[in-house]
Amino acid sequence: MTDEEPSSLTVKQQARRWAMEVHTDPALRPAAMRWCAQSAEHKAEFDISYAAISKIIDPASVNVHDRMNGSPRDSRPRVPSAKLVIAASLAAILLLGAHFVLGQNMRSSIAPPHIASSGAKNEDAPLIFSTRKGEVRKITLADGSVITLDTDSRLLVWLHQERREVTLAYGRAIFAVAHDASRPFTVSADGGTTTALGTRFGVERRAHCQMNVILYEGRVAVTPPCETRKTSAPATKSYLQPGEQIRYSGTSTAVGNAVAEPAPTNDEQWTTGVKSYDDEAVSVILAEVNLYSDVKLVAASPEIGAMRVSAELHIRNPESVAKHLARALGLTVENQGSDRLVLTI
């Protein structure tokens, strides 16, 4: 693949080839971006094609090229085998089908699909990403931004030419934003927003008007969810520095009163499944563990919930957490049915 595509291919066909190449070999993204920069049509078709292929190939799976060839890519000419030809044909069919389905889905929404050009209003249908209980998923967007989506979460993503917009319907996510000064990246939840140009931050929304934002790198501007204000009045903005967080309580009268505070040092550890707690209340630990499993871990009394412990726990494994807490605090674990573990004295 080169920056100069054969003139016999349409822009749509070229975009599909670039999308396939970038998906299988991220090192080719700069070349693809140079092709996209040639025109707004190139960029629009690439975004749609990349979104389509991202839906049919799991980013967590092994390299598609390696699976088809059995070995890493090299520069020697190779004669394609019958199996390779069939596999390549199937991949092309899947990509064409996904591109068609994505286009149909967009066309069936409020407005026809398009990438906003200068001065145009974009109302294309979003890309939708979600996770089941217990699932943690990593997503790479067409602009190079990477999202880590926590358990039981749902995101809607719009990639416009002049801006990038994400809505966190519920759950939690960490955003590693690809720098692009001309396309601000904004995450919204219940009307509150977190805006960055190139940075890494997390947003959590577990209940109506409750939004937590934590900054790991860079700088972000945050506006509160469910803010009550006059239409003409500007939104209240807070600016976070790395290592800070801001938490909104969930009531419309109090959301504007939140202030930045030091963030817990273990916050990002949920992405690995193993989290270190330092003198933490048992009730806080149980609440996080219960996000990941249908097996609920509960304290038999408020006294047990108020106990504090320092431990490194596998938060996606309630049985392991129950045993560890029982040993550390001198408690007993009672099995109440197949979906309830109770910590008792």
Side-chain angles (χ1 to χ4, degrees):
M1 179 70 71
T2 64
D3 290 352
E4 297 182 0
E5 283 287 346
S7 58
S8 60
L9 297 180
T10 66
V11 170
K12 194 169 290 188
Q13 290 170 331
Q14 294 176 47
R16 291 167 186 161
R17 290 180 61 180
W18 277 117
M20 176 68 80
E21 288 288 349
V22 172
H23 198 284
T24 58
D25 186 358
L28 293 174
R29 179 174 293 279
M33 292 302 99
R34 286 194 296 272
W35 180 82
C36 288
Q38 293 176 17
S39 73
E41 184 184 8
H42 284 197
K43 185 66 173 66
E45 290 296 343
F46 176 82
D47 282 344
I48 292 175
S49 295
Y50 191 87
I53 193 173
S54 295
K55 285 180 175 290
I56 63 172
I57 301 177
D58 187 346
S61 65
V62 298
N63 183 281
V64 173
H65 186 280
D66 292 349
R67 287 181 65 182
M68 291 168 58
N69 293 289
S71 62
R73 174 190 319 235
D74 60 38
S75 58
R76 294 171 295 174
R78 104 178 44 229
V79 178
S81 66
K83 289 183 179 180
L84 179 56
V85 172
I86 293 172
S89 299
L90 288 174
I93 291 170
L94 283 172
L95 178 56
L96 289 172
H99 187 279
F100 174 77
V101 171
L102 182 63
Q104 290 296 101
N105 287 342
M106 287 182 173
R107 278 183 280 275
S108 65
S109 65
I110 298 174
H114 63 280
I115 300 298
S117 58
S118 179
K121 184 178 180 180
N122 189 338
E123 295 189 16
D124 56 330
L127 297 173
I128 300 174
F129 302 99
S130 61
T131 53
R132 303 179 301 274
K133 183 176 284 292
E135 178 187 11
V136 174
R137 181 181 178 189
K138 184 165 285 189
I139 303 155
T140 301
L141 301 181
D143 69 337
S145 298
V146 178
I147 301 172
T148 304
L149 195 58
D150 200 8
T151 177
D152 193 22
S153 300
R154 182 179 175 87
L155 278 179
L156 290 78
V157 179
W158 293 263
L159 294 177
H160 304 273
Q161 260 197 315
E162 74 282 1
R163 66 191 185 281
R164 296 166 287 178
E165 298 175 337
V166 177
T167 293
L168 179 61
Y170 53 83
R172 176 167 59 177
I174 288 177
F175 303 87
V177 180
H179 180 73
D180 187 343
S182 65
R183 300 172 74 194
F185 191 105
T186 300
V187 179
S188 63
D190 288 329
T193 63
T194 303
T195 303
L197 293 178
T199 189
R200 196 162 57 87
F201 62 93
V203 180
E204 182 175 18
R205 189 268 188 193
R206 298 290 182 187
H208 182 59
C209 295
Q210 292 183 6
M211 184 177 79
N212 297 343
V213 179
I214 183 168
L215 181 63
Y216 306 110
E217 298 175 7
R219 191 165 182 256
V220 294
V222 184
T223 66
C226 304
E227 185 179 28
T228 302
R229 59 185 173 86
K230 294 181 179 180
T231 306
S232 58
T236 304
K237 283 188 179 181
S238 298
Y239 295 91
L240 298 184
Q241 299 296 328
E244 290 184 337
Q245 70 173 359
I246 191 165
R247 298 182 291 175
Y248 297 100
S249 65
T251 58
S252 58
T253 57
V255 291
N257 298 327
V259 296
E261 60 185 0
T265 57
N266 66 347
D267 179 86
E268 197 175 1
Q269 292 176 359
W270 62 262
T271 60
T272 68
V274 178
K275 194 164 183 177
S276 299
Y277 296 92
D278 183 17
D279 192 34
E280 187 61 84
V282 168
S283 60
V284 173
I285 296 174
L286 300 191
E288 185 154 31
V289 172
N290 287 338
L291 293 174
Y292 294 91
S293 175
D294 290 326
V295 177
K296 297 306 176 188
L297 182 53
V298 300
S301 67
E303 290 74 21
I304 294 176
M307 290 181 175
R308 308 189 76 84
V309 66
S310 296
E312 186 174 85
L313 303 172
H314 292 268
I315 58 176
R316 301 177 200 168
N317 187 330
E319 291 84 1
S320 172
V321 173
K323 291 177 182 177
H324 194 112
L325 293 179
R327 286 196 303 267
L329 299 171
L331 303 174
T332 300
V333 181
E334 291 185 1
N335 290 282
Q336 295 185 355
S338 60
D339 60 354
R340 187 177 173 89
L341 299 173
V342 181
L343 293 172
T344 64
I345 296 177

